Amino acid sequence: MNDQRLRLDLTALADEVTSVDLRDRTLRTSRRLGIQRAVATSAAALVLIAAATGTAFAIRPDRSPNPLPADTPSVTATPTPTQSPTPTPSTSAGDTPGAPPSGGSGTNTPSVQFGKLFYGPATVVEAATANLRSWRPGDSPVRLLALPAGPAASNASISPDGRRVAWVESDDSGERTLVVADADGSNRQEMRSDVEGSCSPVWSPDGRHLLFVEAATATGEPVRRGVLDTRSDKRTVTWWPGQVRGCHALWSADGRTIAVAFEIGVTLYAPDGTKKRVVPGFSTNSWLTHDIASLSSDGSRIALLRRKPGEQSGDIARELRVNAVLDTRSGKQVTLPLGGRALQQVYFQTDGSMVVRVQAGSGYAVLLVDEDGKKISETAEPASLKDMEILGVVD
């Protein structure tokens, strides 16, 4: 690296530690990210120069590696895969990310970063099919596979690595089939028939198994809940004991807890269907819920739609809107830094942080909130995602 480049780096670093307002920091985001990459390769040289000039530098730790793309297995150690396992979906025309709203930094701390957000239509569209999309703040939205309009809005489920999508679709005869495909629409596989379509399939943390509800062939009524091995030749199913209790379920990232919306509240189970405990705070005289959206990695927190007795509760269809985050042990509500704005959705990331979607003017913004409830970052959603809802977040 030549002397001129080092002088530029030092000048930029000096700018960074100068007190400036948030607007100036936002405008310099891209330059600062470039500086951080340069510093990562020249840290030793900077330390020597600082010692020689008597200047004390507060050297920040290197940023964590950028999250791997959704089509890269999470166990991959290299930052860039040598070969993509699936064809790369195309970027949608007109999908341009918005600027960070006033008051948001639009940047991430080294330890807490936005994952990739996956979207589906918020309501069933009139067209026969609807595309899912993915978006990571700072990038442009990407158009993914097209699903039948009903499943796209009501039961599509994103695998934990973002590589596959599961859904339940019906044919003209009313037969409901559990289907899995890659996120770009390739490698479509019909996994099992006689599946309840109102209860979304749920991926296990390893992306191999799907928790689903079997329906009676003649009546379509839910019969039992099972865990399907999607990679076994015989599509082996391990059945939970007893009859189906509740419909919508969530599987924690540590693999130990499954939350099910049941009757008036939420019950927690082990992966084999053994009951663990009930989330306190729900009763016919206080709060009710039939709709759950996200479960923290260790099962200690849950994001859901909570209603008071007598409030319209809708039907059995999936509802991903959120108005509360609760501690599953105490039932107490977790405070979020919303800035007076209406809460729309919350998704937990594996590190305990949360992606929080709020109303922002005529559109939406997403907040990155750490495990302690501190807002780390805020970014406006692209206008093209306004009529969509978040289906999941992949680290």
Side-chain angles (χ1 to χ4, degrees):
M1 181 180 295
N2 57 40
D3 293 339
Q4 178 66 19
R5 178 61 181 273
L6 287 175
R7 283 195 294 272
L8 290 174
D9 287 346
L10 290 173
T11 300
L13 283 173
D15 288 342
E16 186 175 352
V17 299
T18 301
S19 176
V20 294
D21 61 27
L22 291 175
R23 180 176 179 275
D24 290 337
R25 288 185 182 274
T26 301
L27 293 175
R28 293 203 304 270
T29 295
S30 61
R31 186 181 67 168
R32 287 166 57 202
L33 292 175
I35 292 169
Q36 289 171 353
R37 287 192 291 268
V39 170
T41 61
S42 60
L46 293 177
V47 171
L48 290 175
I49 293 173
T53 59
T55 303
F57 289 94
I59 301 179
R60 294 169 57 188
D62 291 342
R63 284 174 55 95
S64 299
N66 289 333
L68 297 176
D71 57 359
T72 305
S74 59
V75 296
T76 303
T78 54
T80 305
T82 56
Q83 182 178 357
S84 175
T86 59
T88 302
S90 59
T91 301
S92 303
D95 290 343
T96 304
S102 175
S105 66
T107 62
N108 302 325
T109 65
S111 59
V112 183
Q113 300 184 48
F114 271 112
K116 180 177 287 188
L117 286 64
F118 287 79
Y119 291 77
T123 59
V124 178
V125 298
E126 295 182 0
T129 62
N131 285 89
L132 304 188
R133 295 186 184 184
S134 67
W135 172 64
R136 192 190 301 275
D139 297 334
S140 295
V142 175
R143 182 180 288 117
L144 304 177
L145 78 170
L147 298 182
S154 63
N155 63 51
S157 178
I158 309 298
S159 67
D161 60 5
R163 297 174 63 186
R164 298 199 289 173
V165 181
W167 70 95
V168 180
E169 65 180 34
S170 302
D171 60 20
D172 294 338
S173 67
E175 175 66 36
R176 294 183 177 89
T177 303
L178 176 59
V179 184
V180 171
D182 290 347
D184 65 351
S186 63
N187 195 28
R188 174 190 164 99
Q189 297 175 290
E190 295 187 355
M191 292 288 169
R192 190 176 180 88
S193 58
D194 295 328
V195 176
E196 163 57 46
S198 298
C199 305
S200 304
V202 181
W203 289 96
S204 63
D206 62 5
R208 174 166 183 156
H209 300 87
L210 280 169
L211 182 69
F212 72 99
V213 175
E214 183 184 51
T217 303
T219 64
E221 293 296 317
V223 177
R224 53 183 175 172
R225 195 182 300 273
V227 180
L228 169 70
D229 187 342
T230 64
R231 297 177 187 168
S232 66
D233 294 336
K234 296 182 179 181
R235 308 281 163 75
T236 305
V237 176
T238 302
W239 298 104
W240 278 24
Q243 294 183 331
V244 172
R245 298 170 65 86
C247 181
H248 303 298
L250 303 169
W251 203 324
S252 65
D254 66 5
R256 298 178 180 178
T257 305
I258 292 174
V260 179
F262 174 58
E263 291 185 341
I264 60 174
V266 181
T267 302
L268 303 183
Y269 294 88
D272 63 359
T274 304
K275 182 177 177 179
K276 299 174 69 173
R277 55 190 170 87
V278 174
V279 177
F282 294 97
S283 73
T284 55
N285 298 319
S286 57
W287 293 103
L288 310 173
T289 187
H290 304 289
D291 302 293
I292 53 181
S294 184
L295 185 65
S296 66
S297 296
D298 60 359
S300 65
R301 293 181 176 184
I302 190 168
L304 44 71
L305 183 61
R306 197 169 58 165
R307 297 181 174 92
K308 292 185 177 180
E311 201 173 333
Q312 179 62 39
S313 61
D315 53 27
I316 195 175
R318 179 177 69 180
E319 172 66 79
L320 296 178
R321 186 165 60 88
V322 165
N323 62 10
V325 174
L326 304 181
D327 185 310
T328 62
R329 295 156 297 194
S330 66
K332 293 182 178 180
Q333 186 167 354
V334 177
T335 301
L336 299 174
L338 305 179
R341 293 167 295 186
L343 178 62
Q344 297 295 319
Q345 292 187 274
V346 176
Y347 282 91
F348 292 96
Q349 302 195 115
T350 57
D351 61 4
S353 63
M354 292 170 276
V355 173
V356 180
R357 192 188 201 200
V358 297
Q359 190 79 38
S362 60
Y364 300 98
V366 286
L367 283 56
L368 182 63
V369 178
D370 69 15
E371 192 171 10
D372 296 326
K374 176 184 177 183
K375 188 177 85 169
I376 302 301
S377 174
E378 177 174 334
T379 304
E381 278 187 352
S384 60
L385 300 175
K386 180 180 178 180
D387 296 326
M388 307 190 82
E389 65 180 3
I390 302 173
L391 303 181
V393 178
V394 173
D395 292 358

